[in-house]
Amino acid sequence: MSGFKTVRGMRDFLPEEASLMKSIESKARDVANNYGYKELITPVVESHELLAAKAGEEVRSRMFVFKDLGGRDVALRPEFTASVARVVATTLRNEPKPFRLFSVGTIYRYDEPQRGRYREFWQSNYELMGSVRPEADVELILLTQSLINSVGLKDCAFKIGHVGILRAIFAEEKLVERTQSTVMQLMDKKLYDDAINLLKKAKVSDKCLETVKQLTGLKGTDAFGIIENIRKTVESYISAAVAVKNLFEILRLILESRSNVEIMVDAGFARGLEYYTGMIFEIYVPDLGIALGGGGRYDRLIELFGGQPTPAVGVAHGLDRIMLAMQDKKAPAEMKPCGKVVVVPASEGVAGDSLRVAKILRDAGVPVELEVMGRKMAKALEDADRRGAAFAVIIGEKELKEESVVLRNLRKREQKVVQIVRIADALSE
Ligand code: AMP
């Protein structure tokens, strides 16, 4: 017997889980269609230089990096945004704006494996390019709410912040960008004391230290109250006030959209990815303390990759975590019953006709499982029942003489003889 196991942090999806993952993926695609996002498929392997450029130290240090056989430095994608930005900066550079792109697939990060944290995981990713307006930011939030609700998770809450506020303060303090990013990464991990110590080392003003300290305490569900407090706290930093106004506009639009979005504003909230410039958010559901998705505005990335200046906002959802939340909540997943119809030959001699009838059904779009074990009728029907099949089509020599078969409703335990040409129609009667 082989002792092979999956590589640490990687996992198999057995059929039931695979089907659930695929149904989440298809919901994500439906949401993309509903909001006008076109699908873009990019490679899992990209140049290391591209992926490392703006990902942020946290993600950068966890990439699967290797040399291909041609000696190129490549890596497995740790996110979609860099690939999408590459396409937008090159092939799509002259497309009229705005445009909306959707991607779904596996992502790779050398994270420490634990519940909801894997080294290979699935994301659905949406990017809206070309608009600086708050409507665009709000669209990504509403789209996220649509996805979460569409998989049967009813209660979700958004944590919202704005990196523009802290970035503006740090810029006015002439803090070099590298240090700014490190401070934000520490804040992302809620290591506020370490962030403050680093700021002290960088010799920012006492006013800055005091402002940052105060901001880290400003959070709550009274969104407009918190925003007013943020506004007062950063009053003396002129460009920070612009960011606060932008955050206010976004929240006002969410309110006016009457979408019943639950929001927690958090002024000390930062996200690990370096390229964010504006509003940032994460989505949570009750009882699962890990984010199901996150995103934000990044207005300079496309330019950095050599494209036209293109403001953008995006979100990535962790599909493995959505699946966990659904399993925890027993959210009703529309799982297709495995093999809705089974075709069972009643005797040895009708195997060919069984294949023929199965094909007629499949050609009509009916999923069919054929009995291939040569079992006796009673055993085969018992097994069909166990698999959750709704109907059995029984192929018997007697009925075949009339070009007919027996259609048995396994739930109602009734059966009737049906002409083969009518079999697909008879299933929906
Ligand atoms: P990010 O790309 O870091 O903004 O993450 C977006 C979302 O991807 C997170 O909110 C998680 O739901 C999911 N995610 C991130 N890292 C992992 C991981 N190691 N395993 C599973 N899901 C993850």
Side-chain angles (χ1 to χ4, degrees):
M1 209 176 88
S2 158
F4 285 134
K5 291 193 294 196
T6 53
V7 170
R8 185 165 154 76
M10 308 285 166
R11 59 189 186 136
D12 300 314
F13 288 76
L14 297 183
E16 204 170 301
E17 279 188 313
S19 152
L20 182 52
M21 178 53 88
K22 287 289 148 180
S23 83
I24 300 170
E25 180 186 333
S26 112
K27 296 274 187 214
R29 191 168 283 111
D30 290 347
V31 168
N33 282 331
N34 283 346
Y35 282 76
Y37 288 66
K38 299 247 164 63
E39 187 155 356
L40 173 71
I41 301 177
T42 57
V44 168
V45 177
E46 293 268 14
S47 85
H48 176 242
E49 194 187 354
L50 171 91
L51 296 175
K54 266 295 176 186
E57 197 43 44
E58 179 73 17
V59 168
R60 211 163 17 232
S61 63
R62 292 173 191 274
M63 279 202 285
F64 282 83
V65 184
F66 57 102
K67 268 195 199 302
D68 71 8
L69 293 180
R72 298 173 197 89
D73 289 310
V74 295
L76 303 184
R77 62 183 176 206
E79 51 146 0
F80 278 112
T81 305
S83 304
V84 179
R86 172 181 56 71
V87 176
V88 170
T90 54
T91 326
L92 299 181
R93 64 183 291 132
N94 295 320
E95 282 290 299
K97 311 282 179 333
F99 54 92
R100 297 174 164 93
L101 293 170
F102 161 73
S103 299
V104 63
T106 48
I107 295 292
Y108 301 83
R109 289 184 199 168
Y110 204 79
D111 279 334
E112 201 42 43
Q114 50 186 275
R115 185 172 146 83
R117 192 176 292 282
Y118 315 99
R119 290 182 177 171
E120 177 185 64
F121 58 96
W122 290 72
Q123 280 189 345
S124 58
N125 187 84
Y126 305 75
E127 315 277 356
L128 170 45
M129 313 267 176
S131 168
V132 286
R133 298 176 59 91
E135 296 90 294
D137 302 64
V138 174
E139 176 168 305
L140 275 296
I141 289 176
L142 298 188
L143 170 160
T144 297
Q145 185 194 33
S146 294
L147 175 63
I148 300 294
N149 290 345
S150 80
V151 299
L153 297 167
K154 291 294 162 233
D155 309 313
C156 59
F158 287 84
K159 177 159 105 174
I160 299 190
H162 199 298
V163 294
I165 301 172
L166 286 168
R167 291 260 183 213
I169 295 170
F170 296 155
E172 281 191 38
E173 293 281 336
K174 307 232 169 356
L175 196 64
V176 292
E177 199 153 318
R178 229 188 126 74
T179 316
Q180 286 188 28
S181 296
T182 314
V183 172
M184 307 279 272
Q185 272 148 30
L186 290 170
M187 293 181 71
D188 182 40
K189 292 192 195 143
K190 301 201 170 50
L191 299 170
Y192 300 126
D193 290 343
D194 294 352
I196 295 286
N197 285 336
L198 186 59
L199 285 172
K200 274 187 194 154
K201 249 206 221 144
K203 303 214 170 15
V204 297
S205 68
D206 287 346
K207 181 180 84 172
C208 173
L209 290 177
E210 196 44 44
T211 308
V212 173
K213 266 189 212 157
Q214 278 184 28
L215 284 177
T216 56
L218 287 179
K219 59 183 84 167
T221 48
D222 166 21
F224 291 100
I226 300 286
I227 294 222
E228 180 52 19
N229 283 336
I230 300 175
R231 194 188 62 74
K232 284 190 200 135
T233 309
V234 302
E235 219 160 22
S236 58
Y237 291 96
I238 294 161
S239 41
V242 178
V244 179
K245 184 152 183 292
N246 177 238
L247 185 57
F248 173 85
E249 282 301 314
I250 290 167
L251 289 167
R252 183 177 65 78
L253 286 177
I254 294 176
L255 192 72
E256 286 178 6
S257 76
R258 302 197 192 177
S259 311
N260 279 328
V261 178
E262 204 179 298
I263 284 173
M264 205 264 279
V265 174
D266 183 348
F269 173 37
R271 302 205 71 231
L273 299 167
E274 235 162 61
Y275 48 66
Y276 288 120
T277 54
M279 180 274 299
I280 49 169
F281 68 98
E282 275 178 353
I283 169 105
Y284 290 88
V285 289
D287 308 324
L288 192 71
I290 44 179
L292 298 194
R297 173 168 285 283
Y298 57 95
D299 283 347
R300 286 196 285 277
L301 188 64
I302 313 287
E303 234 173 303
L304 263 159
F305 285 175
Q308 320 263 14
T310 309
V313 53
V315 62
H317 308 117
L319 302 191
D320 305 73
R321 292 188 184 177
I322 290 181
M323 184 159 134
L324 258 186
M326 289 168 77
Q327 287 165 330
D328 276 5
K329 284 227 146 330
K330 310 233 172 338
E334 287 161 35
M335 297 250 308
K336 284 207 188 90
C338 181
K340 192 176 182 322
V341 174
V342 290
V343 170
V344 187
S347 58
E348 286 283 328
V350 297
D353 286 297
S354 303
L355 286 163
R356 172 166 70 98
V357 175
K359 177 165 167 29
I360 290 171
L361 283 165
R362 291 185 187 119
D363 287 349
V366 179
V368 170
E369 276 187 35
L370 182 63
E371 166 58 36
V372 289
M373 303 299 285
R375 285 177 291 208
K376 292 257 174 333
M377 182 64 56
K379 273 262 175 278
L381 290 181
E382 203 180 290
D383 185 58
D385 228 10
R386 189 178 58 80
R387 288 163 180 273
F391 294 96
V393 174
I394 300 165
I395 317 292
E397 278 173 28
K398 192 171 108 222
E399 290 79 17
L400 273 178
K401 289 199 181 105
E402 311 285 318
E403 266 301 282
S404 298
V405 291
V406 174
L407 174 61
R408 183 175 171 83
N409 185 322
L410 295 171
R411 310 251 157 88
K412 295 189 185 154
R413 299 185 183 276
E414 297 165 358
Q415 62 184 50
K416 59 183 174 187
V417 175
V418 176
Q419 285 266 294
I420 291 174
V421 287
R422 286 204 57 257
I423 184 72
D425 293 338
L427 280 168
S428 48
E429 279 164 8

